Amino acid sequence: MSRTAVYSALVLRSRPSGESNNEVTLLTAEEGIIKTTVFGGPKNKLRAHSAPYNSGQVWIYRDPAKDYGKLSDFDVQSWRPGLRELYERTMAASAAAETILTTHGGGGDWGTALQLASSTLDALESANEELCSRLLIHFLWRWTKFLGIQPYLENCASCSMGGDASLWYNSRESIVLCANCVTMNREQTTINNETRAGSSGLLKLNPGCRKWFIATEQIEPSLLYRYSMDNKSFNEAKSLVTSVIAGTLGKRLASWDW
């Protein structure tokens, strides 16, 4: 039986291990998250090939006796050098990668996880500063659907009010409610624009924010430049997606805030 396996992979993280080696964490279509080791010093070409956000086919040699995997070859098909040319691109890519790692690659259907990540990174490579933030929100929103935790935003979960009304996301139950239903359920006695999920479990979503999510959910990241948001909607959108994922993880990721 061969000890070398071939994977379609994306590098999520690379960091020093020991005196001259690197530990590389991959998202693979075949087995999800895999850790492997690149042996050798700076002159080893695999150190450059296994830089974060590169993707392609990798060959990993497994030694069952020593319980480790060695990256023996990497046919890089996407280098994505543009991600390192702009701070906002780097930060958005890092936030997406950390989200994938923290949620264990989604827990299954890794081929879809790899496609979601790769399409976002491809779009980020040439994105301007403002678009980078929207691309991250778009990725996180699609990731919530992939994880099965995405709330339904079109109307109130209790009375079906929607349309141009403002709704409130209830982080405790992961549903959206209209003002009347919030009051009736005694979640809050006074609703105002200062409401935040961290204090009351409620987050206000104006119609523009909800419509942006609904309109962009099915589109590819490469087309996201066509869908803009005002600052108010952007702030609400970012608060929503991070609140949904943080509710599942039990913590917020520092990489979301930059």
Side-chain angles (χ1 to χ4, degrees), residues 197-220:
S199 60
S200 65
L202 296 170
L203 175 66
K204 186 176 182 180
L205 305 174
N206 72 62
C209 171
R210 293 189 294 109
K211 289 177 181 178
W212 187 87
F213 277 124
I214 294 167
T216 62
E217 182 178 329
Q218 300 298 326
I219 72 162
E220 286 298 307

Side-chain angles (χ1 to χ4, degrees), residues 20 172 198 239:
S20 60
R172 299 189 185 101
S239 295

Side-chain angles (χ1 to χ4, degrees), residues 80-134:
R80 301 187 176 95
L83 293 177
R84 302 167 185 85
E85 296 173 356
L86 189 68
Y87 173 80
E88 286 78 9
R89 295 174 190 168
T90 302
M91 296 305 293
S94 176
E98 186 178 7
T99 302
I100 295 168
L101 283 168
T102 309
T103 54
H104 309 290
D109 192 6
W110 296 301
T112 298
L114 183 59
Q115 188 277 327
L116 286 172
S118 297
S119 61
T120 294
L121 293 175
D122 287 341
L124 275 171
E125 191 180 6
S126 59
N128 60 29
E129 297 177 11
E130 186 273 335
L131 181 56
C132 288
S133 299
R134 276 189 283 136

Side-chain angles (χ1 to χ4, degrees), residues 1 3 11 18 26-27 35-36 40 73-74 81 85 95 100 115 141 145 166 179 181 186 200 205 223 258:
M1 182 176 178
R3 294 185 177 183
V11 180
L26 305 166
L27 172 63
K35 289 185 178 180
T36 185
D73 202 0
F74 196 155
E85 296 173 356
I100 295 168
Q115 188 277 327
W141 184 243
K145 184 174 183 179
S166 290
C181 291
R186 296 181 181 179
S200 65
L205 305 174
L223 301 177
W258 47 271

Side-chain angles (χ1 to χ4, degrees), residues 51-220:
Y53 320 127
N54 290 351
S55 61
Q57 279 198 315
V58 300
W59 283 257
I60 297 178
Y61 171 81
R62 297 187 182 279
D63 187 333
K66 297 183 179 179
D67 191 26
Y68 76 83
K70 172 187 176 182
L71 184 64
S72 57
D73 202 0
F74 196 155
D75 178 15
V76 181
Q77 296 163 3
S78 295
W79 294 87
R80 301 187 176 95
L83 293 177
R84 302 167 185 85
E85 296 173 356
L86 189 68
Y87 173 80
E88 286 78 9
R89 295 174 190 168
T90 302
M91 296 305 293
S94 176
E98 186 178 7
T99 302
I100 295 168
L101 283 168
T102 309
T103 54
H104 309 290
D109 192 6
W110 296 301
T112 298
L114 183 59
Q115 188 277 327
L116 286 172
S118 297
S119 61
T120 294
L121 293 175
D122 287 341
L124 275 171
E125 191 180 6
S126 59
N128 60 29
E129 297 177 11
E130 186 273 335
L131 181 56
C132 288
S133 299
R134 276 189 283 136
L135 280 166
L136 176 59
I137 289 174
H138 183 247
F139 169 77
L140 294 177
W141 184 243
R142 296 207 300 168
W143 197 251
T144 63
K145 184 174 183 179
F146 179 65
L147 295 176
I149 59 174
Q150 187 180 97
Y152 184 72
L153 300 183
E154 291 200 26
N155 49 50
C156 173
S158 182
C159 71
S160 298
M161 177 181 287
D164 291 330
S166 290
L167 301 179
W168 276 259
Y169 171 66
N170 182 325
S171 62
R172 299 189 185 101
E173 299 180 31
S174 195
I175 58 175
V176 295
L177 298 169
C178 67
N180 289 336
C181 291
V182 167
T183 302
M184 289 176 61
N185 291 340
R186 296 181 181 179
E187 292 287 346
Q188 180 174 308
T189 57
T190 302
I191 296 175
N192 55 61
N193 291 333
E194 303 303 319
T195 300
R196 292 293 181 269
S199 60
S200 65
L202 296 170
L203 175 66
K204 186 176 182 180
L205 305 174
N206 72 62
C209 171
R210 293 189 294 109
K211 289 177 181 178
W212 187 87
F213 277 124
I214 294 167
T216 62
E217 182 178 329
Q218 300 298 326
I219 72 162
E220 286 298 307

Side-chain angles (χ1 to χ4, degrees), residues 141 144 149-151 169 174 239-249:
W141 184 243
T144 63
I149 59 174
Q150 187 180 97
Y169 171 66
S174 195
S239 295
L240 173 63
V241 292
T242 55
S243 177
V244 172
I245 300 177
T248 297
L249 296 177

